[in-house]
Amino acid sequence: MSNAETAGPAAKRKPDISPERCDYTKFLDIVSSKWSALILYALEDGPVRFGEMGRRIEGISKKMQTQTLRQLERDGLVHRELTPSIPPVVDYSLTPLGRSLIGPLQELKRWASIHHGEVMQARDNYDRTLERAD
Amino acid sequence: MSNAETAGPAAKRKPDISPERCDYTKFLDIVSSKWSALILYALEDGPVRFGEMGRRIEGISKKMQTQTLRQLERDGLVHRELTPSIPPVVDYSLTPLGRSLIGPLQELKRWASIHHGEVMQARDNYDRTLERAD
DNA sequence: CGGGATCCCAAAAGATACTG
DNA sequence: CAGTATCTTTTGGGATCCCG
């Protein structure tokens, strides 16, 4: 308290929100990549093999599938089980930690399914209003 | 049904998950940028002026603040109110749509605050296991 | 079958300078 | 005060080819 930094009358002064401290940022860090949630969904009903998963998720490449799975595995959300036969068999499944994410994720899907129309309409409106301003 | 596409015995064949159709993808499209949720949080307790917001959010640049606010405004989550005095005063606030997002977002913060430690530990573990494999 | 390695591109974000 | 404009850097993702 030695510093003459006594706050002004408006009260709020110094930063109280930061990316590093925000838990939502931590969440994004884990599952904001394009394919991560999609992979979690594919695993929702039980273990799935790599190839099967690839066929179920439209448009994913082997590279992105592998890369995203590695991240999820590294974060402890997904378990990888290799059966070293020839050809090899690799099964992926949710860990308990991974499964604990399904609930919150479904909340978001609900929000989006309910409100996405409003968002699109707001965008339209915003864009058309700008056009008229030329 | 003219196509001889009768499914094999393993049942699951064609893609049933896609980025375009997934509601979670739509959600990410709206609030996955680095600063968007932080700005929503800054508005949680009521209207805030541009400068005040900037001081509250650590590390944000004016450019990113403006850019993110424009996106949120375009999507109908944030309302912008300009008082054309000199110098100008601009207040930002949540719209009802924006406020409807706060709940789901808090779910995620809760998940992250509870489980982030496990994730970090899993990462550590994964990385150290890899190091030993040289 | 289930990857790894490499190259390339587009989008997001940051730095800096200028303005009504 | 609250922006805009421009430039550069960083990151994420896709394409392609190779491997045990």
Side-chain angles (χ1 to χ4, degrees):
Chain A
M1 284 273 210
S2 58
N3 202 315
E5 208 172 70
T6 45
K12 288 176 179 169
R13 294 229 148 262
K14 303 280 273 294
D16 61 326
I17 300 174
S18 95
E20 288 77 26
R21 291 190 178 82
C22 178
D23 285 323
Y24 181 71
T25 302
K26 294 172 185 163
F27 169 83
L28 286 182
D29 188 43
I30 298 169
V31 281
S32 71
S33 84
K34 179 171 179 179
W35 303 103
S36 47
L38 268 20
I39 287 182
L40 295 182
Y41 292 147
L43 296 174
E44 222 174 337
D45 300 323
V48 180
R49 288 184 56 175
F50 184 89
E52 162 82 3
M53 183 190 297
R55 266 169 263 124
R56 285 190 55 191
I57 304 179
E58 189 174 349
I60 197 171
S61 68
K62 281 193 297 186
K63 180 204 162 188
M64 288 316 296
Q65 189 183 346
T66 303
Q67 181 176 308
T68 308
L69 277 166
R70 286 291 166 278
Q71 273 161 203
L72 294 173
E73 188 192 359
R74 183 169 109 101
D75 288 348
L77 305 178
V78 159
H79 175 68
R80 175 175 184 269
E81 183 132 12
L82 165 68
T83 306
S85 51
I86 298 184
V89 172
V90 182
D91 280 287
Y92 288 93
S93 56
L94 291 181
T95 63
L97 184 58
R99 195 162 290 109
S100 75
L101 239 180
I102 297 290
L105 251 42
Q106 262 159 356
E107 278 283 309
L108 295 183
K109 292 211 298 186
R110 257 176 40 80
W111 185 91
S113 72
I114 294 173
H115 296 289
H116 187 246
E118 301 172 54
V119 172
M120 295 308 282
Q121 195 176 339
R123 276 186 198 178
D124 249 52
N125 218 286
Y126 185 91
D127 293 345
R128 279 187 290 96
T129 302
L130 278 195
E131 274 175 36
R132 275 197 289 277
D134 58 32
Chain B
M1 284 273 208
S2 58
N3 204 313
E5 206 172 76
T6 45
K12 288 176 178 170
R13 295 230 147 259
K14 302 279 274 295
D16 61 326
I17 299 174
S18 94
E20 289 78 24
R21 291 189 177 84
C22 179
D23 285 323
Y24 181 73
T25 302
K26 293 172 186 166
F27 169 83
L28 287 182
D29 186 43
I30 298 169
V31 279
S32 71
S33 84
K34 180 171 180 179
W35 303 103
S36 47
L38 268 22
I39 287 183
L40 295 182
Y41 292 147
L43 296 175
E44 223 174 337
D45 300 323
V48 179
R49 288 184 56 175
F50 184 90
E52 161 84 3
M53 184 191 295
R55 266 167 263 125
R56 287 190 54 190
I57 304 179
E58 191 173 348
I60 197 171
S61 67
K62 280 189 298 185
K63 181 203 159 187
M64 288 314 296
Q65 189 184 346
T66 303
Q67 182 176 308
T68 308
L69 277 167
R70 287 289 169 279
Q71 274 162 200
L72 294 173
E73 189 192 358
R74 183 170 108 102
D75 287 349
L77 305 177
V78 159
H79 175 68
R80 176 176 184 268
E81 182 133 12
L82 165 69
T83 307
S85 50
I86 298 183
V89 172
V90 182
D91 280 286
Y92 288 94
S93 56
L94 291 180
T95 63
L97 184 58
R99 195 163 290 110
S100 76
L101 240 180
I102 296 291
L105 250 41
Q106 262 160 356
E107 278 283 308
L108 295 183
K109 292 213 296 188
R110 258 177 40 80
W111 184 91
S113 73
I114 294 172
H115 297 289
H116 189 245
E118 303 171 52
V119 172
M120 295 308 282
Q121 196 176 336
R123 277 186 197 178
D124 250 52
N125 218 287
Y126 185 92
D127 292 346
R128 278 187 290 96
T129 301
L130 280 194
E131 275 175 34
R132 275 197 291 277
D134 59 31

